[in-house]
Amino acid sequence: MQVFKTYHKIIKRKFLSIAILLVAYLGLSLLYSHSDLTSDVNSFTDIEVEIAFLNEDMTNENNTELVEGMKSYLSQHAEIVTVVDNREDIQNALFSNEIQAAIRIPYGFTKKFFKDNSLTIEQMSKPDSLEAFYVQSHINKFLNKAKIYASYMDEDDQAQIVERVKDDLSKYINVEVHGDSNVLLEVTRNMINHYNFLGLYLLFSIVSGVGMSMMVFNKPEIIKRNNISSLSISNRNFQLFLGNISYVLFCWGLGMLISIVFFRHQFSLPKTILFSINALCFAITCLSIGFLIGKNVRNKNTFNSLVAIIILSMTFIGGLFIPLELMSSKIIKVAQFTPIYWYIKANDNIQNLDIVSSDYLIPIGWQILTVCAFGIGIFAFTFIISKVKYSRFHSQ
Amino acid sequence: MLLHVLKYKFICLIRDKAIIFWAFMFPVILAVLFHIVLININPQEEFMKVEFSVVDNDGYRQDIRFKNYVNSIIESYENNSQSIYNISIRSLEESEQLLEDNKIDGYVKIEDELKLIVKRSGTEQSLIKALLDEYIQINSTMETILSNNPSALENIDLLTNNFIEDVPLSESDNTDFSIMIYYSLIAMSCLYASFWGLRIITLSQADLSSIGARMGLIPQKKLHILAIDFFVSWIIQLGIITFQLIFMSTVLNVELLKPIGLVFLTTAVGSAMAISLGSFIGAVIKKDEDTQVTIINSVIGIGYVITVSQINEILESKLPFLACINPIKLVNDGLLSLYYFDNYAILARNVVLMSSLTFFFSAITYLTVRRVKYASI
């Protein structure tokens, strides 16, 4: 098994480069999903928002009752952070995400509120901020109810109004989560993000590793030396195939082992098996890409450039960095020509799998088969190119 | 002598096609790709729809107020394309089956009280809950008012005023948040100057290249040689960044050049930091070139992904020191602060940090490569 051993010698020599890639991208995918390892999927939780609450509407250096009531209500839905009240510090706090919104109550707001609504509350936030919208909706809810009580109850006492508003806003609908004993364990969004990011890790590590090794075997002097050896071409190719498969299985196995260890709290055997099969099929497709590039590129710099362009283009269009729901139909049509699109779609369907039945498994199966089909197609294309080159070489 | 070295260093570096590709073409290719995807992005309202059903039982038929509320939402959905709630009225069995088949996000039934039944937690379920909470709270308000002031029934108007006024972040009121993607590309492009730094070390060390061996014989101090190499690389990189900024501003029509002086200052300091980082890696990590290139690519790749994704917020809360020294983030934040704010505090802080890193990396590089002796074999 001389070729097989040589293959692994090349991998060992390049091991430091490969190890850096493995650690870097595996670490990245774990970091991406680290924040929500133990979230409770069966309860409703509000989003976490930090705000600055700056009040200029004071009476005898105290907040008015309306403002104090609003502040106390907001503190149930957001964390109120102390920020120095000047424009620069507020901008810095917004920029560094210490706060998502800065609310300023102008002087005289309470008085005008009960008269004619001529003053408004200022809010500073980043553009299109969902958190700022969330805070805005709570403030409007509180103040609209206060206004209704002031208008229809002839109520002058601010404390009484605030009390009634808070009492109304403390009422919620009763929610029941109806589970099924056969329902598979829910997985969090972060676990899915991790498996999607695993695709990036598999792409970089397998394409780089396989490509680098195949480039060595495709050097003209190595090919000529091998052609005059006693080892048959089919035997040589079989050993190369074994070498590549063993490397792919190593990268895949390492990725899956780390996923299972880090997400052991959400371990669900059927879903983990499906994720593993999907990742394995994708890993073999990555092998085909690395094989294609390594067989046809001689220059190391060209190889590095091609790998970066192909991988980043695929991952960007395929829906790894920008959700597929946000993309237009034209971009999705283009994305369907990338294997990572089908890999991510299969992961999303596995996430939503509730019961192991053919109705749910068949679409997932088709998506995984599509990923495999890409791999087979790229291998076929590589062999055709090799055949054409071989015939041209011999006809000269 | 110095001018001679300067001239031929420039010619040597500019002929390196690989580095020209990474520093010059690669960010341009990515910018074009991002531009194609970003201009075709769907607004969020077009894809967010919430489907749930209301159980048509005795409780529902007798609760006129809730019936009117549901009908108003159904009407709103039919007449207004921006409405996201699609409600259907069905029997209990149908609702249970639809929920089981994941065709609806939940269903509502009235028995002794209003109840929402869902299969799981999620955005859609939270939105249904928010809608129904609003109904319960409005109900409570109306009951309180009617019990104290029955005559208000004829005139009651459930107010939906907006008491908030959005104040712009700065006088320029720049609000295009997708600009962050292009700034992060410029930051990544600055960091690709690390390859120049790596090349500097390769061309100056006698054990790494024949040119390095020849450079070891010339009557010039190592510090002068490194300074010239650094300066030439920096000038080439500034030219590349200038072209990229002009390309993105004119061809891709992205507002990147205001204020022009400070944008160039940020990219100039960022490029200097990247060159010093590359030379630091080349000098300190005594491994083959492949390993050094992989390390640089990993630093840039990871730094870029951290800057543009949610990982940035996780790092800022758990490992703030690492978040602070991410070179791509330093350049990116400096540029973003120029766009969104009218104060330069963040830019000044980042420029100081980048300059400190440049000094640190350059000092370590010089201390590592000076007075190196080679065995005479």
Side-chain angles (χ1 to χ4, degrees), chain A residues 23-47:
Chain A
V23 168
Y25 287 100
L26 207 51
L28 208 57
S29 68
L30 280 175
L31 205 57
Y32 198 67
S33 51
H34 182 69
S35 64
D36 193 19
L37 282 178
T38 55
S39 69
D40 183 356
V41 297
N42 287 320
S43 66
F44 287 96
T45 46
D46 276 334
I47 56 174

Side-chain angles (χ1 to χ4, degrees), chain B residues 61-310:
Chain B
R61 286 183 218 114
Q62 284 162 17
D63 191 336
I64 308 292
R65 214 180 274 167
F66 185 64
K67 238 179 145 172
N68 291 338
Y69 186 68
V70 166
N71 286 335
S72 68
I73 296 170
I74 293 173
E75 226 176 87
S76 169
Y77 184 78
E78 282 163 8
N79 299 330
N80 181 0
S81 61
Q82 300 233 323
S83 172
I84 62 169
Y85 295 104
N86 185 10
I87 308 178
S88 51
I89 316 292
R90 298 181 189 276
S91 65
L92 180 61
E93 293 75 27
E94 271 181 317
S95 300
E96 280 172 352
Q97 191 56 50
L98 287 171
L99 185 63
E100 188 63 34
D101 297 338
N102 290 320
K103 297 234 166 72
I104 54 174
D105 301 305
Y107 66 86
V108 181
K109 64 180 179 184
I110 303 179
E111 287 169 342
D112 302 318
E113 54 170 359
L114 202 59
K115 252 190 217 168
L116 169 63
I117 290 89
V118 297
K119 266 177 94 173
R120 62 170 75 86
S121 213
T123 310
E124 291 84 358
Q125 287 76 13
S126 296
L127 286 168
I128 302 171
K129 183 178 179 299
L131 184 74
L132 297 167
D133 284 344
E134 178 71 18
Y135 167 75
I136 289 175
Q137 288 158 7
I138 291 172
N139 232 16
S140 172
T141 306
M142 285 177 63
E143 276 169 12
T144 311
I145 291 174
L146 290 174
S147 66
N148 285 282
N149 185 9
S151 62
L153 177 64
E154 293 161 14
N155 308 316
I156 204 156
D157 177 17
L158 296 171
L159 302 170
T160 52
N161 295 327
N162 181 14
F163 294 92
I164 311 281
E165 181 195 343
D166 277 316
V167 171
L169 280 174
S170 68
E171 281 166 14
S172 54
D173 195 18
N174 290 320
T175 56
D176 183 4
F177 216 61
S178 65
I179 212 90
M180 190 178 88
I181 302 222
Y182 295 101
Y183 276 136
S184 59
L185 271 181
I186 294 291
M188 188 167 76
S189 179
C190 289
L191 261 290
Y192 275 120
S194 307
F195 288 114
W196 296 120
L198 189 62
R199 198 87 179 102
I200 285 170
I201 296 300
T202 310
L203 290 179
S204 65
Q205 296 296 93
D207 55 338
L208 295 179
S209 65
S210 51
I211 293 175
R214 282 210 311 267
M215 293 303 288
L217 297 171
I218 67 169
Q220 281 292 337
K221 288 185 179 174
K222 214 41 161 296
L223 181 64
H224 294 169
I225 296 171
L226 286 176
I228 291 169
D229 289 346
F230 188 100
F231 178 72
V232 171
S233 313
W234 187 61
I235 293 295
I236 297 173
Q237 180 66 18
L238 281 183
I240 289 172
I241 297 280
T242 306
F243 173 82
Q244 287 168 349
L245 281 168
I246 293 172
F247 175 82
M248 288 188 207
S249 299
T250 52
V251 176
L252 302 183
N253 213 22
V254 182
E255 182 76 58
L256 288 176
L257 284 174
K258 288 181 184 162
I260 193 165
L262 292 174
V263 168
F264 278 111
L265 170 68
T266 313
T267 52
V269 177
S271 302
M273 175 184 63
I275 295 169
S276 63
L277 172 65
S279 57
F280 170 80
I281 290 172
V284 166
I285 296 173
K286 303 259 185 232
K287 294 284 176 190
D288 59 283
E289 202 187 340
D290 278 345
T291 307
Q292 292 170 338
V293 166
T294 307
I295 291 172
I296 291 177
N297 270 328
S298 300
V299 166
I300 295 174
I302 292 170
Y304 178 74
V305 172
I306 288 174
T307 302
V308 300
S309 70
Q310 296 156 298

Side-chain angles (χ1 to χ4, degrees), chain B residues 23-67:
Chain B
F24 182 65
M25 283 309 301
F26 186 61
V28 167
I29 292 169
L30 279 185
V32 170
L33 204 67
F34 290 175
H35 186 72
I36 292 169
V37 172
L38 283 174
I39 57 172
N40 284 303
I41 255 183
N42 270 331
Q44 289 212 351
E45 293 86 3
E46 286 189 20
F47 80 90
M48 175 60 92
K49 292 281 177 213
V50 179
E51 317 240 351
F52 69 100
S53 74
V54 176
V55 173
D56 188 13
N57 58 6
D58 290 332
Y60 172 69
R61 286 183 218 114
Q62 284 162 17
D63 191 336
I64 308 292
R65 214 180 274 167
F66 185 64
K67 238 179 145 172

Side-chain angles (χ1 to χ4, degrees), chain A residues 4-279:
Chain A
F4 182 79
K5 283 182 198 167
T6 310
Y7 183 95
H8 282 283
K9 265 191 196 157
I10 296 168
I11 293 284
K12 258 189 216 166
R13 205 179 289 167
K14 309 244 179 240
F15 184 69
L16 194 54
S17 307
I18 291 168
I20 291 166
L21 282 173
L22 289 177
V23 168
Y25 287 100
L26 207 51
L28 208 57
S29 68
L30 280 175
L31 205 57
Y32 198 67
S33 51
H34 182 69
S35 64
D36 193 19
L37 282 178
T38 55
S39 69
D40 183 356
V41 297
N42 287 320
S43 66
F44 287 96
T45 46
D46 276 334
I47 56 174
E48 288 172 11
V49 183
E50 284 90 20
I51 62 170
F53 193 90
L54 307 158
N55 181 29
E56 293 169 3
D57 188 24
M58 304 264 210
T59 315
N60 299 331
E61 292 182 13
N62 290 324
N63 293 339
T64 61
E65 274 155 9
L66 178 73
V67 169
E68 188 57 37
M70 184 166 61
K71 188 178 179 183
S72 146
Y73 170 67
L74 276 179
S75 64
Q76 294 165 15
H77 300 279
E79 191 187 330
I80 297 180
V81 174
T82 310
V83 169
V84 174
D85 188 0
N86 69 61
R87 194 177 169 83
E88 211 173 278
D89 283 324
I90 294 170
Q91 285 176 343
N92 286 345
L94 279 168
F95 192 82
S96 55
N97 283 322
E98 272 175 54
I99 56 172
Q100 281 80 54
I103 309 293
R104 182 185 298 282
I105 320 287
Y107 176 73
F109 175 79
T110 306
K111 220 181 208 173
K112 296 279 185 182
F113 174 80
F114 286 112
K115 268 194 185 157
D116 53 12
N117 276 353
S118 54
L119 275 181
T120 50
I121 295 173
E122 294 173 3
Q123 178 178 270
M124 197 191 273
S125 61
K126 282 183 183 167
D128 298 329
S129 164
L130 276 176
E131 289 88 356
F133 175 76
Y134 173 78
V135 171
Q136 200 171 338
S137 66
H138 277 294
I139 294 175
N140 282 333
K141 219 194 257 191
F142 183 92
L143 291 174
N144 276 315
K145 287 199 169 23
K147 194 73 183 168
I148 291 171
Y149 278 119
S151 306
Y152 295 103
M153 297 277 284
D154 292 328
E155 193 73 78
D156 284 338
D157 184 1
Q158 285 185 39
Q160 183 77 330
I161 289 174
V162 166
E163 221 30 66
R164 290 189 202 277
V165 170
K166 277 177 155 181
D167 182 55
D168 286 343
L169 293 177
S170 64
K171 295 184 167 79
Y172 297 99
I173 188 166
N174 203 347
V175 181
E176 283 178 14
V177 182
H178 274 196
D180 187 322
S181 56
N182 289 328
V183 168
L184 300 172
L185 188 66
E186 180 80 34
V187 294
T188 60
R189 188 68 227 166
N190 284 321
M191 192 170 166
I192 299 303
N193 288 342
H194 167 73
Y195 277 108
N196 288 344
F197 237 81
L198 203 69
L200 184 68
Y201 150 74
L202 288 171
L203 268 171
F204 263 111
S205 54
I206 294 174
V207 172
S208 302
V210 166
M212 276 196 269
S213 311
M214 294 313 298
M215 265 173 47
V216 171
F217 279 99
N218 282 307
K219 283 184 181 165
E221 56 272 17
I222 307 284
I223 293 176
K224 286 172 190 168
R225 251 198 354 235
N226 286 337
N227 283 344
I228 59 167
S229 74
S230 56
L231 201 62
S232 68
I233 294 175
S234 52
N235 195 345
R236 195 170 67 225
N237 286 340
F238 177 69
Q239 288 184 43
L240 266 178
F241 169 75
L242 279 182
N244 283 324
I245 284 289
S246 60
Y247 175 69
V248 165
L249 286 174
F250 168 73
C251 291
W252 169 79
L254 185 66
M256 293 314 303
L257 182 69
I258 288 179
S259 308
I260 290 168
V261 166
F262 271 84
F263 291 98
R264 59 188 178 278
H265 299 294
Q266 296 160 55
F267 182 79
S268 156
L269 185 63
K271 288 193 180 185
T272 303
I273 290 174
L274 287 170
F275 280 130
S276 309
I277 294 171
N278 191 24

